[in-house]
Amino acid sequence: MTRSRTTLLTALALLAPLLPLPLGGTPAAALDAGVERPDRAAPAPLTVLDPGFEQGATAWRFTAGTGVATNYPHGGRRLVYLDAGAGKKVSQTLTATGRGTYDISAWIATGGARGRFTARVNGTERAAQDLPAVSAYRRRTLSRVTLTAGDRLEIAFESGEGWVNADDLMLSPASPADPRVSSSDPKVAEMFDWAKRKANSWVHLAGTAGPLDVDENNTSGSGTGTYGPSYWAGYANRSGYYSRDAAHQLAGAGVLGLHTENRAVLRAFAASATAEHMFYPVWALNFDNRSPLSIDYRSPSLFVREVPATFELVQKAEEAYRWSGDRGYLTDPVLWDFYRHATEEFVDLHDGLKDNGTVKVAEGTGRGIFQGTASYNEQSGEPLAEAGDGIGAQYRAYTAMASLARAKGETALAATYDMRARDLKEYFNTVWSGSGSGPDTIRGWTTDGRPLTGWGKENSWFMPLKQIMEPGPRREAYLDYIDQQASGEGRPDNIEALTYLPDTFFTNNRADTAWRWMQHVYDRREDQHVNSAQGANGDYPEVSFSLLGQTVEGLLGVTPDAPARRLTTLSRLPSGMDWVKIDDLRVGRSGFSLRHDGARRSVLTNTSGTDRWTWEARFPGTWSSITVNGVRVPARTKVVDGETYTYATPSVAPGRTVTVQVN
């Protein structure tokens, strides 16, 4: 997560063309070849001119009572205004050169109600938002506007009872998947729909020309570049995405089918983790998927770097492979070399301050983010050598590397990483968590060898989140402590930090607590973010992306494995939620409908694609009977991270529905 606290995004000159390509960008077949470069993009053929109104009145049509002003821009130096009263409009019309579906977003502030933000195709209104009276800028989006070659798209701001200000228009390709959630609890459906629309509004059209190195100190940037497949992951006043944010947003992007963007972003970070950088990836990249964002990068020896991010990117690459089935995650030498360097040389180069016996633990310097910090908790001021989030992320990088090596057929390498993961977990649970419970649990070590206990925010909750803590009473007590601290005076000020809590509690099968935190994050989406430049909490991209991932991977308990054509599910419905269903859940090249009725009945339909899938339908606890489509089958059980599950593994052919139930 970024930590800026000042100004605004410059207007994105030459932003947002309409691509005449299939909705998701690069076809999956091209990615399977393993040589596709998803971080690069050809120039887009059609452009919205002057989306930030920085060129004055040259590209837009203005009626009387409208114009360009400088008094209250969202970004850059100018904005467009409409005076109060009916009949005023600012518009631009584009002609589509191919078929596509798009989202249209703009930052809008109003002095009164009844203004409108509209999209018309060939004169017919296709999408519109009635604008409420909100004097602070909020990001408004018109979703899934479909065009064919020759269609004329008019984008317009229309007046209302008070003034209307608008700035920083952006077009996004509509997501390849359009998942829909329904439930006995209407709030989860409302939340998911909001998050889906909001998250997709942050996706860039590959080939867009836009500014580079925009930040609060350089609002005009350093020039322009061609944006690759990417999405916003960080503050909206900076023209780039951050490794920590992108890692946390990846699951939500997977739910939307943004596999091209996920791989391009991960590959860009992988390419930056050079020997010159001591195998750290840079902290932030411009949307060109190549150049470091200058505010966080001063030289190869002086740039922001945080230990957990290196390891999280390895874990998230493995998860992206499971969501997409894209073998490029195994065959692309840039990605593969990154996995190896991150789990080999990176650890060797950054392990020297604390003796860890037979295991190695990557360390920070204790001297701040530009020298390398052990933890994501940048505000603590503690001189940490090792931190709970760093060692937890390292453990998950080892398990991910073992999984990737097995998928590649390198069984000996997989066994090596399995052993490293086991050894690191045993060390952690002996030396770190071997004594003490709750607030007395060790969550870091200083550079002079002192153990730290108490509340450490990220370096506290990442330990159970990454499953490096052994299951049992000590972990349960620590989860209670995390919930208490995050609910009280220890609560982080920034909403994006709280977005990790649902993941933490779902991972540890505390559905009621996880759902409470999901609602907490969602209910504060209109609150002002602690960074005044960010606007509302809901306009921080991580909020919407993480809610998508938590609904699917958390509530619905979906674990995808597209390469193996295997889908694992586990109902984690909280108390009072009788059922949840998702339609158009895409995994690899297949689509599914999934419904959970409580924790005892699940229904899966293979709705699209040509592949037969194995479905591992899990249910918590030990049950004497399990049926598949009403036919009793042997009740099998397994223990996963200390929890016992009863499960069945039916085959689900294309077009077929299977119901599994325990009794």
Side-chain angles (χ1 to χ4, degrees):
M1 281 167 212
T2 54
R3 294 289 188 266
S4 160
R5 293 291 184 269
T6 52
T7 70
L8 304 169
L9 173 67
T10 196
L12 298 181
L14 301 178
L15 184 64
L18 302 180
L19 282 177
L21 294 175
L23 302 186
T26 307
L31 296 181
D32 278 349
V35 296
E36 165 74 22
R37 286 292 304 269
D39 54 326
R40 303 206 171 185
L46 190 64
T47 301
V48 174
L49 299 176
D50 194 18
F53 307 99
E54 296 299 293
Q55 299 171 23
T58 58
W60 294 81
R61 290 189 174 185
F62 297 82
T63 66
T66 68
V68 174
T70 59
N71 60 314
Y72 183 37
H74 171 263
R77 298 178 301 277
R78 295 181 176 87
L79 69 145
V80 68
Y81 72 88
L82 296 85
D83 289 335
K88 302 172 181 65
K89 184 168 81 170
V90 176
S91 63
Q92 184 175 150
T93 299
L94 310 171
T95 300
T97 59
R99 185 184 182 280
T101 303
Y102 307 94
D103 285 7
I104 307 166
S105 304
W107 293 87
I108 302 174
T110 58
R114 298 187 183 279
R116 301 184 84 232
F117 177 35
T118 66
R120 294 182 177 86
V121 179
N122 302 326
T124 300
E125 186 172 282
R126 291 286 181 84
Q129 276 205 17
D130 294 326
L131 302 174
V134 180
S135 59
Y137 276 107
R138 295 290 186 266
R139 203 160 191 265
R140 310 292 181 185
T141 299
L142 308 176
S143 298
R144 305 193 80 85
V145 177
T146 298
L147 303 172
T148 58
D151 282 345
R152 290 177 59 77
L153 169 68
E154 181 196 62
I155 302 167
F157 306 98
E158 299 172 357
S159 59
E161 294 174 349
W163 52 264
V164 176
N165 288 348
D167 204 355
D168 295 337
L169 187 78
M170 177 176 166
L171 300 185
S172 302
S175 60
D178 186 21
R180 299 170 300 282
V181 165
S182 53
S183 175
S184 59
D185 186 341
K187 189 164 188 178
V188 68
E190 171 195 308
M191 180 188 299
F192 188 84
D193 186 64
W194 174 86
K196 175 180 67 173
R197 295 172 184 273
K198 180 65 73 171
N200 195 80
S201 77
W202 296 110
V203 180
H204 283 292
L205 279 166
T208 293
L212 306 176
D213 294 324
V214 175
D215 59 56
E216 52 269 29
N217 304 315
N218 187 15
T219 58
S220 296
S222 63
T224 61
T226 299
Y227 289 178
S230 59
Y231 44 77
W232 229 288
Y235 286 138
N237 62 311
R238 298 181 180 182
S239 61
Y241 51 83
Y242 282 72
S243 54
R244 173 180 176 172
D245 297 67
H248 197 204
Q249 292 177 204
L250 182 136
V255 170
L256 293 178
L258 300 174
H259 304 314
T260 299
E261 288 78 5
N262 274 344
R263 185 177 152 202
V265 166
L266 289 167
R267 192 184 194 279
F269 281 120
S272 74
T274 61
E276 187 178 34
H277 291 151
M278 297 183 72
F279 298 109
Y280 268 108
V282 299
W283 187 233
L285 286 158
N286 280 293
F287 295 122
D288 64 355
N289 292 344
R290 295 180 190 82
S291 57
L293 196 63
S294 60
I295 191 171
D296 296 294
Y297 187 92
R298 298 171 187 170
S299 75
S301 60
L302 191 64
F303 62 98
V304 176
R305 49 203 133 147
E306 302 185 6
V307 167
T310 305
F311 297 125
E312 278 215 285
L313 293 173
V314 178
Q315 176 193 348
K316 297 304 176 178
E318 194 272 344
E319 292 176 8
Y321 172 56
R322 301 297 171 188
W323 268 107
S324 66
D326 173 10
R327 287 191 60 81
Y329 284 103
L330 307 178
T331 59
D332 186 329
V334 171
L335 287 167
W336 190 258
D337 287 350
F338 168 69
Y339 311 149
R340 296 300 306 272
H341 293 318
T343 54
E344 296 275 2
E345 292 95 333
F346 177 80
V347 178
D348 292 340
L349 287 168
H350 302 283
D351 175 32
L353 294 174
K354 182 180 180 298
D355 183 5
N356 305 114
T358 59
V359 302
K360 299 177 181 179
V361 179
E363 300 166 339
T365 64
R367 299 198 302 271
I369 59 175
F370 274 89
Q371 299 295 333
T373 180
S375 174
Y376 280 150
N377 184 358
E378 300 172 358
Q379 308 303 315
S380 71
E382 298 165 329
L384 286 167
E386 297 175 4
D389 45 346
I391 194 170
Q394 183 175 336
Y395 167 72
R396 287 306 303 273
Y398 284 164
T399 63
M401 189 61 207
S403 173
L404 290 163
R406 269 190 295 274
K408 199 176 182 182
E410 299 189 16
T411 55
L413 185 64
T416 296
Y417 279 100
D418 281 332
M419 182 177 64
R420 289 181 186 176
R422 286 194 301 269
D423 290 348
L424 187 63
K425 188 171 187 176
E426 181 180 0
Y427 163 78
F428 172 86
N429 285 282
T430 302
V431 176
W432 286 55
S433 296
S435 62
S437 184
D440 296 324
T441 300
I442 294 173
R443 44 92 182 173
W445 298 79
T446 63
T447 53
D448 59 0
R450 291 179 292 113
L452 294 177
T453 59
W455 180 231
K457 298 179 181 176
E458 286 90 343
N459 52 65
S460 288
W461 65 65
F462 261 66
M463 294 188 291
L465 171 63
K466 298 300 184 182
Q467 298 179 294
I468 195 171
M469 295 187 80
E470 288 285 3
R474 184 176 290 114
R475 188 171 75 182
E476 296 305 312
Y478 200 55
L479 288 165
D480 290 340
Y481 174 68
I482 290 169
D483 190 35
Q484 292 162 6
Q485 293 299 305
S487 300
E489 293 182 0
R491 176 180 297 173
D493 294 330
N494 53 328
I495 193 71
E496 61 271 25
L498 296 177
T499 62
Y500 286 98
L501 294 175
D503 301 284
T504 299
F505 291 106
F506 276 130
T507 297
N508 291 279
N509 292 312
R510 291 194 173 196
D512 287 358
T513 307
W515 174 234
R516 172 165 52 80
W517 279 111
M518 283 182 73
Q519 293 179 88
H520 176 89
V521 169
Y522 178 67
D523 289 345
R524 281 150 185 78
R525 67 193 182 282
E526 294 298 333
D527 293 355
Q528 174 62 48
H529 193 274
V530 292
N531 172 9
S532 60
Q534 180 55 44
N537 284 334
D539 284 327
Y540 196 106
E542 195 168 358
V543 170
S544 52
F545 277 93
S546 61
L547 287 173
L548 290 177
Q550 288 152 7
T551 302
V552 175
E553 295 186 337
L555 281 171
L556 288 157
V558 171
T559 302
D561 191 353
R565 307 295 186 264
R566 188 180 188 93
L567 191 68
T568 300
T569 67
L570 168 67
S571 173
R572 294 197 186 101
L573 304 193
S575 302
M577 191 179 294
D578 296 330
W579 61 271
V580 170
K581 181 184 180 186
I582 187 168
D583 292 297
D584 198 27
L585 171 65
R586 306 276 189 91
V587 183
R589 292 188 178 87
S590 296
F592 300 93
S593 168
L594 172 67
R595 174 173 169 142
H596 293 312
D597 290 277
R600 297 175 60 179
R601 181 177 184 269
S602 298
V603 182
L604 182 71
T605 303
N606 188 337
T607 56
S608 65
T610 59
D611 295 319
R612 178 183 292 270
W613 284 64
T614 298
W615 175 28
E616 183 172 313
R618 292 181 184 172
F619 301 89
T622 301
W623 296 86
S624 60
S625 173
I626 187 167
T627 61
V628 176
N629 287 340
V631 178
R632 187 166 180 167
V633 299
R636 292 179 289 172
T637 61
K638 64 169 57 176
V639 177
V640 181
D641 194 38
E643 294 288 334
T644 300
Y645 302 102
T646 302
Y647 71 100
T649 54
S651 178
V652 187
R656 301 301 298 272
T657 296
V658 175
T659 300
V660 181
Q661 186 168 347
V662 290
N663 301 287

